[in-house]
Amino acid sequence: MTTDHDTPSAEAALAAAWQGFSTGYRVLTETELDVLCHKLLGHGPAAVADRAARELRSYTATVTAGPQPNRPPAVIMHSATRTTRGFDGDLADVRAGRDPYDVAGYLEARAVSLAAAGDLAVGRTQPWRDAVRHYGTDSLDVGLLEPYYLSDALLTVAAETPRVLVPLVEWLRDRPSAVVRLYALDTETQVFLLWLKAQAGLDALNVDANNPVVSDRWNRKNHIHPTVEDALAITTVGLDADALLQAEQRASEAHRLLGLAVPVLPGYLVERSASVAAFADSVVEAARLLRERYGLEYGCLKPCEAGDGARIVPGIALKNEETLRDHAVEAHQHGDAYLLEAHVDFLHCEIGGRRFIIAPSGHIRGGRVAAGLTLQLMNGVAWEGNVTLTADDCARLGVPAEYHDRMTAALNAVRNAFHGPRAAEQGCKGGLVTGGVDFAVGRIGGVFGDRVVLGAIDFNLSSHGAEYLRSFQDKVPGHVATRVYRPASEADLAATVTAVTGLAPDVATQVVASVPGRWGMVAAAGTSLEDAARTAQRLVEGLRSLALAR
């Protein structure tokens, strides 16, 4: 295994800088993956996707959304993934002298909280072990901390010391209907699961993860809006703003290929091109369309493949061509397509002395639309948690009454599009079993004037942080909230649980995970949206006062 630094001096420098992580910094190269794939499956990675489509079956719940006490037993096995560049992000933070999040460590640790009685957790890090001990979950520790990705560790163990995995093989052999709950079904995970399925003698293996076509092809923002070129081909004569927006969405990839129609904001896809100048020209042309078609003054430049608010540039003056080109040059170096979308002046709400934008989200669980919505707790463009959002909450916060129903209808449209006949032509029918859609509620001005508009602004078709609110709510119905924070370097899970219990002895709470120095999440119940969010915030403030959070 190696990293992108394979000289002795670079290796030594990285080893010295890589401190406080739950895992090492080794990542399998393509060559090493090819060798392991041949050893475990008898063929190379090129044949994996077709086999995975046949032998790994996306699990759809047989009951309606909400608590599912009768679901099959599960293997809980969350690995960070190359598809969202977990290692690259942590490495970039190390190089820049920023505090990294230890994505591999916190994804493994927090997943244990999803386990129910009879499930089996698979992992290897110290925070994961702490979570297993706290939750009393049956577990298999595979060791091998040197690889950054758990998927890489599992492949290496399967090839070199397969006896370590015998308990997992036997557990699945005894429970052929079990579901493997994953963070992502990437190529490395597919290779391991195909090997595991064969070892257990199963015809197929159920996975609570979107199929690879959905998670790779559709888990991005490219499909929300038409390309600049396609938008230019639309005849605009006689169309008002709403009709034009609908016509433009019908030219988007999601509508053309899946028939998907949901509320959107004005915006255009700027496709990746080899030429920086051509890419910048397209950004400028997209800005012209937003100005001339909708009278908009400001836009938001958004990457199609990054998550967690990364690389979003809001509030760009659409008339300022020099600024637009500067941002385009900066964006081009990252290698993905971008959207230039209407900038939203979000509606806001005040909770515990803090001002939050109203950016609701809804979710797919077990292949079905989850009941109700959540309000994302945002700090700028960074996500800090979620809180339950009801129709009554929407009305009280000034959201137009029909918008709660429109967002729910949009979630059903997304779910149905990926389970419909046209999805089969794209290789993804029934392959959407988990994910979320984020919405913007606010004003964009221009020809829309002072009207409050609604638009889907992000499709996160993968495992997501709001699942931890949903899981807590399964046990504690009503309003609940989650809050992400930075634990202190000595704040392990046991100390944090003891502290949280003392801070709110009469309230239902949960410490989802605490990775010392890196990432933590608490959950709390409340009598209302505001009460739940304030309680979660109060827990974080209390942990700070006890020197258990930064």
Side-chain angles (χ1 to χ4, degrees), residues 178-439:
V179 178
V180 182
R181 301 193 68 176
L182 305 165
Y183 180 71
L185 189 58
D186 56 16
T187 299
E188 294 76 21
T189 302
Q190 291 171 50
V191 173
F192 176 73
L193 292 182
L194 289 172
W195 173 85
L196 181 62
K197 182 195 76 72
Q199 296 299 304
L202 303 178
D203 293 330
L205 189 60
N206 297 314
V207 293
D208 185 26
N210 299 330
N211 78 20
V213 175
V214 173
S215 59
D216 181 50
R217 172 76 170 75
W218 294 96
N219 189 26
R220 56 188 71 180
K221 302 180 185 71
N222 302 55
H223 56 83
I224 300 174
H225 297 297
T227 65
V228 172
E229 292 74 15
D230 286 341
L232 287 169
I234 295 172
T235 300
T236 63
V237 177
L239 298 179
D240 64 17
D242 292 312
L244 176 56
L245 188 54
Q246 290 177 15
E248 288 185 341
Q249 194 190 28
R250 287 194 295 271
S252 70
E253 188 176 53
H255 190 275
R256 286 188 291 105
L257 298 182
L258 297 175
L260 174 61
V262 294
V264 293
L265 305 175
Y268 304 100
L269 172 63
V270 181
E271 294 183 297
R272 171 75 180 174
S273 63
S275 165
V276 178
F279 182 78
D281 287 344
S282 290
V283 171
V284 171
E285 183 67 2
R288 183 186 70 80
L289 290 174
L290 290 174
R291 293 197 324 270
E292 295 182 359
R293 292 186 173 183
Y294 298 101
L296 301 178
E297 297 182 30
Y298 298 97
C300 182
L301 191 64
K302 301 162 63 174
C304 287
E305 297 184 25
D308 296 328
R311 294 190 271 133
I312 292 178
V313 185
I316 304 173
L318 296 174
K319 286 185 177 179
N320 192 329
E321 183 174 327
E322 181 180 358
T323 298
L324 286 164
R325 290 188 180 278
D326 287 345
H327 285 305
V329 170
E330 167 66 22
H332 186 270
Q333 68 177 323
H334 295 286
D336 53 348
Y338 272 71
L339 301 181
L340 186 65
E341 194 173 66
H343 174 79
V344 182
D345 180 12
F346 284 84
L347 295 188
H348 288 79
C349 61
E350 295 269 347
I351 304 174
R354 293 186 62 190
R355 196 165 183 249
F356 292 98
I357 64 172
I358 296 182
S361 63
H363 308 100
I364 311 293
R365 301 181 79 197
R368 299 182 182 276
V369 174
L373 302 173
T374 71
L375 176 67
Q376 298 182 89
L377 301 176
M378 303 295 294
N379 183 0
V381 296
W383 171 80
E384 288 188 344
N386 290 76
V387 61
T388 309
L389 180 71
T390 66
D392 288 343
D393 293 327
C394 285
R396 188 165 44 77
L397 296 175
V399 176
E402 71 275 15
Y403 279 10
H404 188 278
D405 288 345
R406 287 187 64 192
M407 287 185 275
T408 301
L411 289 161
N412 278 289
V414 171
R415 187 268 176 197
N416 293 341
F418 281 95
H419 286 254
R422 296 177 66 176
E425 299 172 5
Q426 305 303 317
C428 57
K429 183 176 181 181
L432 173 61
V433 299
T434 186
V437 180
D438 300 337
F439 299 89

Side-chain angles (χ1 to χ4, degrees), residues 17-24 90-91 93-94 100-103 148 518:
W18 195 266
Q19 300 296 320
F21 282 88
S22 304
T23 71
D90 277 340
L91 182 60
D93 285 341
V94 168
Y101 281 100
D102 189 2
V103 177
Y148 179 86
R518 301 305 194 197

Side-chain angles (χ1 to χ4, degrees), residues 429-469:
K429 183 176 181 181
L432 173 61
V433 299
T434 186
V437 180
D438 300 337
F439 299 89
V441 180
R443 297 176 175 87
I444 59 176
V447 298
F448 298 93
D450 198 44
R451 191 210 307 180
V452 174
V453 300
L454 169 69
I457 54 174
D458 195 11
F459 287 70
N460 180 18
L461 305 185
S462 64
S463 180
H464 51 83
E467 176 60 21
Y468 296 89
L469 177 141

Side-chain angles (χ1 to χ4, degrees), residues 58 120 127 301 386 411 453 474 481 495 500 511:
S58 293
L120 179 70
L301 191 64
N386 290 76
L411 289 161
V453 300
D474 288 346
V500 164
V511 181

